[in-house]
Amino acid sequence: MSAALMHSILKRIATGPELSKDISREEARAGMRLVLDGEVDPVQAGVFLIALRMKRETDDENLGMLEAIRDATLRATAPVDEVLDIGDPYDGYNRTLPAAPFLPAVLAACGVASVSHGVESMGPKYGVTHRQVLRAAGVPVDLTPEEAAVSLGDPAIGWAYVDQKAFCPKLYALTGLRTLIVKRPAITTAEVLAGPVRGRLKTHLVTGYVHKPYPRIYAMLARHAGFDSALIVRGVEGGVIPSLSQTGKVFHYHGRDEETSTEFKPADLGIDQSVRAPRIPGASDEDQSEAPLDSAAVAKAAAAAGTAALAGESGATRDCLVYGAALCLWHLGRHGSLKSAADAVRGVLDRGKALEHLR
């Protein structure tokens, strides 16, 4: 039965740019479940994933892929009313020094229980990931969803990182296949919405984008996954923190409201930087995407910069954390303006509260 279903799907989706046909949400879900369960040949699994991407996934196909991933996800409910779920790019950063791994600790110090998630390393970028940076900072990175939920409920911690290999081992098992595929497969969009840790009453999503079609897609998927609100940020390298030197833009929704867009300038938050994000030490310019990356060294540098920022040191990493956390606080209605939210974040950084939550 599984062989016949996949054969039928591949005959339709993998026949070239003009002849390929779309499949239904139910077929996308069933096909992805076959891939996750290892019930089809790896060659067929690879064709399924890349053919969907090459013909451009429909909304129904994206929804079906998300449903299959969520079916395979282990999740826990934290003993707090609301959780903020931070979905940064799983393939990491290779042109800038990432600050976002420290965002959950900053938000926890501001009273917002937060969780981030990811993997050790993922193509096609193979950049520096949350897991690599947090491990370099001495933070536990192998919590189960249940352990992460307990950390969110602990007032002294209030945040956690949970790895895909812990919350969705079947999806993590496709890492080798994804390496062979080379290009981003169809699951890249959906996997950040797996939602391994939920709040008792509400769960909010923060994720990033680069290309213009994706805010609508992410909002659609977030609603389908049950997120009570979403903040979708035009961020550096597709992450959740905007450029420090250019006009920023976010899309956001709450409840049943339609998503709307808002633009702002870094100066609105009291940020004045000439760089868009912290530079990788030793880099000759900001765009090092073609240069070989020493992930361990960059993760160590990011960990040092992030820890220093949490201890009150000024600079681009601190401004990134102020920017990213202020956007989240503003989105959640904790502050009426980005400026007051940014000032509140600076306060917890200056008092060392965020560093206490990291430790």
Side-chain angles (χ1 to χ4, degrees), residues 47-298:
V47 173
F48 173 77
L49 294 175
I50 203 62
L52 283 172
R53 171 51 53 96
M54 291 180 71
K55 78 165 189 64
R56 303 295 184 194
E57 307 96 323
T58 65
D59 286 354
D60 276 348
E61 289 163 351
N62 274 319
L63 289 167
M65 301 289 278
L66 174 62
E67 288 172 353
I69 290 170
R70 287 178 58 78
D71 289 342
T73 295
L74 307 173
R75 60 178 58 87
T77 299
V80 294
D81 288 345
E82 298 188 59
V83 165
L84 187 70
D85 182 312
I86 298 173
D88 233 12
Y90 278 25
D91 60 355
Y93 295 80
N94 65 0
R95 285 166 281 176
T96 56
L97 200 64
F102 297 95
L103 204 50
V106 176
L107 288 164
C110 295
V112 176
S114 306
V115 63
S116 70
H117 39 87
V119 295
E120 171 71 23
S121 182
M122 183 64 69
K125 191 187 289 186
Y126 298 106
V128 176
T129 61
H130 279 233
R131 179 184 174 90
Q132 293 174 16
V133 175
L134 292 172
R135 184 177 60 227
V139 173
V141 291
D142 288 308
L143 302 180
T144 65
E146 291 79 9
E147 291 167 338
V150 170
S151 291
L152 265 66
D154 184 340
I157 305 173
W159 73 282
Y161 168 86
V162 59
D163 201 83
Q164 189 184 77
K165 70 178 179 181
F167 70 79
C168 197
K170 289 182 178 180
L171 184 54
Y172 182 75
L174 299 180
T175 301
L177 178 63
R178 295 171 72 169
T179 300
L180 294 174
I181 289 173
V182 179
K183 300 296 285 183
R184 284 182 175 85
I187 50 181
T188 303
T189 303
E191 67 184 339
V192 297
L193 294 107
V197 181
R198 313 291 288 188
R200 284 185 301 216
L201 300 180
K202 291 184 177 181
T203 309
H204 310 277
L205 174 73
V206 181
T207 193
Y209 79 98
V210 174
H211 303 296
K212 290 181 179 179
Y214 280 93
R216 183 196 67 80
I217 295 171
Y218 276 126
M220 173 195 69
L221 294 174
R223 284 190 174 91
H224 191 70
F227 287 99
D228 296 277
S229 80
L231 177 68
I232 304 157
V233 183
R234 185 174 67 190
V236 174
E237 294 197 56
V240 297
I241 300 176
S243 168
L244 297 176
S245 59
Q246 297 171 313
T247 298
K249 187 173 187 176
V250 298
F251 289 80
H252 45 107
Y253 78 78
H254 288 271
R256 297 180 180 275
D257 295 342
E258 286 297 308
E259 63 266 21
T260 57
S261 64
T262 302
E263 291 192 357
F264 37 79
K265 292 179 170 59
D268 298 340
L269 296 86
I271 293 172
D272 180 17
Q273 285 282 350
S274 60
V275 296
R276 61 179 183 144
R279 292 178 180 240
I280 295 174
S284 57
D285 55 46
E286 290 186 75
D287 190 351
Q288 292 293 303
S289 57
E290 299 303 318
L293 186 75
D294 183 344
S295 293
V298 176

Side-chain angles (χ1 to χ4, degrees), residues 7-22:
H7 182 76
S8 171
I9 290 172
L10 295 183
K11 281 184 68 175
R12 284 174 283 156
I13 66 173
T15 54
E18 296 176 2
L19 297 177
S20 290
K21 297 178 176 63
D22 300 330

